[in-house]
Amino acid sequence: MLSRLAITAGSRNSGSFIWGRSSAALSTAQPLSNNAPVIIQESPERDLVNFPRRQRPIDAPPVRLGFLPEEWFTAFHAKTGATGPYMFMASVGTYMISKEIYVLEHEFYSGIAFAGLLMYMYKRLSPDVGTYVDGLVQAKEDQLRSIRQNEIDRCQASITEEEKAQWMATSYESLIQAKKDNVALQLEAAYRERLAEAYSQVKRRLDFQMERVNVLRRVEQKHMTNWIINSVKTSITSKQEDEALKQCVADLKALAAK
Amino acid sequence: MGNLFGVFSPYVGWTSFGVNWSVVFMMGGVLPSSFWLGGYPLIISISELLRGLGREFGSLLSGFQQPGSLLIPSSVLLFIVFSNLGGLLPYVFTSTAHLSFTLSLALPLWLGQILLSSYKQPLWVLGHLVPEGAPMSLGPFMVLIEITSNLIRPLTLAVRLFANLTAGHILVVLLSSTCGGLTTFLGLSILVLLFVLELAVCIIQGYVFSTLNILYFSESETKVMVLK
């Protein structure tokens, strides 16, 4: 607990790890009720080349004879060669058995039998058990990763939803513009209709005036022709009429002789 | 004869204090610790085992499952199984092959249940001394039989575990003592088969111990006790 308090307190002072802080600064650390995530900031004095951060191993380290680490054998290669550790084990074993420091009694033989049984069980069962346990490990890791991945997916989905909402919001502008255009079209149509109405009304009135003028002229012309005809008729004497008639008859006889 | 039971001696050499009993603390080294958050095969195997055990024991408790009621049986099972399995290894002292040890496990568990149920619901305990469906003419005898069977439970639990392991170890010692001469190969072959049996016995005995504990616990518990 104290180390955790110190680490969380140290993370709030950027650039300095726990080792580089004085006790006075430690005493002024904030309480653990702050739920901010702990961000480990590397001190510039930290040597990551010679003392790298520990990596999680995926596979088991290599072993010899099932349980002895490989490093114990390779460490002696320069001094004793590849068979050095084996010779050591054989010679020490032979010494202890021959001097009866290690007595071969019932525990030894039961150990041989048990070791044989364990080796057989390992050879026979380890592939299936390993596959099953790897499945369990993978399920656990997937469950842990899914926490982060679900959060990321949730954020992505909310981003997509927000973008979609923004896109849908932009459609209102075009909708409003379309409505404006519609209203403008209606206004234009109304204006043109009224313009046409005004035109027709004006034309009707002008036509009426024109017709009135035409009628007046026609009446005047008719009256004038009638007056002229009547004047001519009254000016024609009976003598002229008789001569005209005689001329007409003579013309008709001439035409009939042709 | 002394050599035959020398395997079970907690004393080493001429010392008069039982150093071998320190193998009881071997459990501290058996269960693995973790540095990383997840993904340890051994830890996950044990947690899956405990989860399966929880399902098994939960079905036995049949409705009276209080939070934490499976902790003791599960830990007792793991403890007994790992102590037994450790005892199969050569030169490792089997702590569960001693009546003092197994009785120390069985007696407190049984006594605690008896005392708690007697204190919380004495009439219920007394009433269940005559099983349901038994004819009342046999009532007095049934009471005596039930009392006897109740009182003998810790002894049966302890002696079952102790006797099984002791018998198994004695067989192993006898058979492996024949090795070293002409009959080595024959002895080793039979020893391998015997060890298969011993492995099964180790696991089964631990399972039986904790299952019986769960059964006795579910028998002594009722809804009245749970509500109180």
Side-chain angles (χ1 to χ4, degrees):
Chain A
M1 280 300 289
L2 284 175
S3 62
R4 183 162 166 250
L5 172 65
I7 287 170
T8 52
S11 69
R12 292 186 194 95
N13 292 335
S14 61
S16 65
F17 200 53
I18 180 61
W19 308 114
R21 293 178 65 247
S22 62
S23 59
L26 195 62
S27 63
T28 59
Q30 296 178 15
L32 282 174
S33 58
N34 186 4
N35 288 330
V38 176
I39 300 168
I40 297 174
Q41 298 183 5
E42 299 283 5
S43 167
E45 297 170 2
R46 173 146 188 173
D47 184 8
L48 283 172
V49 174
N50 296 321
F51 303 98
R53 279 206 175 272
R54 185 173 173 180
Q55 297 292 327
R56 182 177 153 230
I58 303 297
D59 296 318
V63 290
R64 299 254 186 121
L65 299 174
F67 68 101
L68 297 166
E70 181 83 19
E71 293 90 31
W72 293 8
F73 289 78
T74 54
F76 285 100
H77 275 183
K79 292 281 182 186
T80 62
T83 56
Y86 299 105
M87 280 308 299
F88 173 73
M89 285 191 288
S91 54
V92 165
T94 309
Y95 167 76
M96 290 180 74
I97 290 171
S98 69
K99 293 279 187 183
E100 291 205 349
I101 296 169
Y102 180 66
V103 179
L104 298 182
E105 31 88 50
H106 67 275
E107 292 277 13
F108 175 72
Y109 295 106
S110 71
I112 290 177
F114 196 51
L117 175 66
L118 286 180
M119 281 196 293
Y120 173 74
M121 282 172 65
Y122 173 73
K123 288 275 186 269
R124 181 73 188 273
L125 300 173
S126 69
D128 298 332
V129 172
T131 311
Y132 172 69
V133 173
D134 284 344
L136 292 176
V137 169
Q138 190 60 43
K140 172 77 173 171
E141 280 186 18
D142 291 343
Q143 187 258 329
L144 288 172
R145 286 209 178 94
S146 71
I147 298 169
R148 178 177 168 272
Q149 191 59 41
N150 285 349
E151 196 61 28
I152 291 173
D153 291 344
R154 196 186 58 78
C155 291
Q156 283 287 355
S158 65
I159 288 172
T160 312
E161 281 294 320
E162 177 62 29
E163 285 173 353
K164 189 177 171 188
Q166 285 179 1
W167 171 79
M168 285 180 71
T170 59
S171 69
Y172 280 115
E173 293 178 3
S174 56
L175 189 70
I176 290 167
Q177 187 61 37
K179 284 189 178 177
K180 280 184 183 174
D181 291 345
N182 197 15
V183 167
L185 278 173
Q186 286 177 0
L187 285 174
E188 181 75 14
Y191 167 72
R192 288 193 183 181
E193 185 186 337
R194 288 179 191 178
L195 192 66
E197 179 70 19
Y199 171 78
S200 68
Q201 290 292 329
V202 166
K203 185 172 182 304
R204 200 163 73 88
R205 279 157 181 74
L206 287 176
D207 286 346
F208 169 73
Q209 295 296 329
M210 185 69 75
E211 199 62 31
R212 196 175 74 89
V213 166
N214 286 341
V215 163
L216 198 64
R217 185 184 293 174
R218 202 163 50 242
V219 166
E220 283 176 355
Q221 189 174 7
K222 189 172 182 184
H223 180 264
M224 194 178 346
T225 52
N226 285 340
W227 183 75
I228 290 172
I229 288 172
N230 287 335
S231 295
V232 168
K233 274 187 182 177
T234 51
S235 70
I236 293 174
T237 59
S238 61
K239 187 181 176 185
Q240 285 174 340
E241 190 175 353
D242 288 334
E243 287 177 0
L245 279 173
K246 284 178 185 174
Q247 183 66 36
C248 287
V249 169
D251 288 336
L252 279 171
K253 282 182 180 174
L255 282 172
K258 287 183 184 172
Chain B
M1 200 58 184
N3 273 338
L4 190 62
F5 290 93
V7 195
F8 304 106
S9 167
Y11 306 108
V12 176
W14 300 106
T15 58
S16 61
F17 43 89
V19 186
N20 278 340
W21 283 111
S22 58
V23 80
V24 169
F25 302 105
M26 181 182 69
M27 286 300 298
V30 168
L31 289 176
S33 56
S34 60
F35 183 81
W36 307 100
L37 180 57
Y40 278 92
L42 192 56
I43 293 178
I44 286 184
S45 310
I46 292 175
S47 70
E48 275 298 310
L49 171 70
L50 285 173
R51 201 169 293 145
L53 277 176
R55 280 194 291 268
E56 279 285 327
F57 293 158
S59 65
L60 287 174
L61 280 176
S62 67
F64 297 136
Q65 193 172 358
Q66 300 189 46
S69 61
L70 298 178
L71 283 175
I72 292 181
S74 303
S75 53
V76 162
L77 181 138
L78 279 182
F79 183 60
I80 292 173
V81 166
F82 281 118
S83 297
N84 297 347
L85 289 175
L88 283 182
L89 295 168
Y91 304 106
V92 178
F93 178 70
T94 320
S95 51
T96 43
H98 292 263
L99 191 61
S100 57
F101 191 79
T102 55
L103 204 58
S104 312
L105 276 177
L107 197 60
L109 290 170
W110 166 85
L111 196 61
Q113 293 160 13
I114 291 286
L115 287 177
L116 189 66
S117 58
S118 304
Y119 176 71
K120 291 282 189 183
Q121 43 190 10
L123 287 179
W124 185 90
V125 168
L126 288 172
H128 275 71
L129 285 177
V130 180
E132 286 182 33
M136 287 314 294
S137 56
L138 289 176
F141 304 107
M142 291 303 298
V143 167
L144 286 173
I145 291 169
E146 281 291 315
I147 288 174
T148 313
S149 77
N150 269 335
L151 288 176
I152 215 165
R153 273 178 184 173
L155 203 60
T156 57
L157 279 176
V159 169
R160 181 185 299 111
L161 181 58
F162 146 74
N164 268 292
L165 262 71
T166 307
H169 277 272
I170 287 177
L171 270 175
V172 166
V173 168
L174 282 171
L175 260 177
S176 49
S177 299
T178 67
C179 301
L182 292 171
T183 56
T184 305
F185 185 70
L186 180 66
L188 284 176
S189 319
I190 301 175
L191 257 182
V192 169
L193 294 172
L194 185 62
F195 267 118
V196 172
L197 175 70
E198 280 301 303
L199 270 176
V201 163
C202 288
I203 296 167
I204 289 168
Q205 285 305 314
Y207 177 72
V208 162
F209 193 100
S210 48
T211 305
L212 283 172
N213 256 323
I214 291 252
L215 282 173
Y216 299 155
F217 181 63
S218 68
E219 274 179 20
S220 66
E221 201 185 26
T222 59
K223 277 187 183 165
V224 175
M225 218 164 98
V226 170
L227 282 172
K228 279 181 184 176

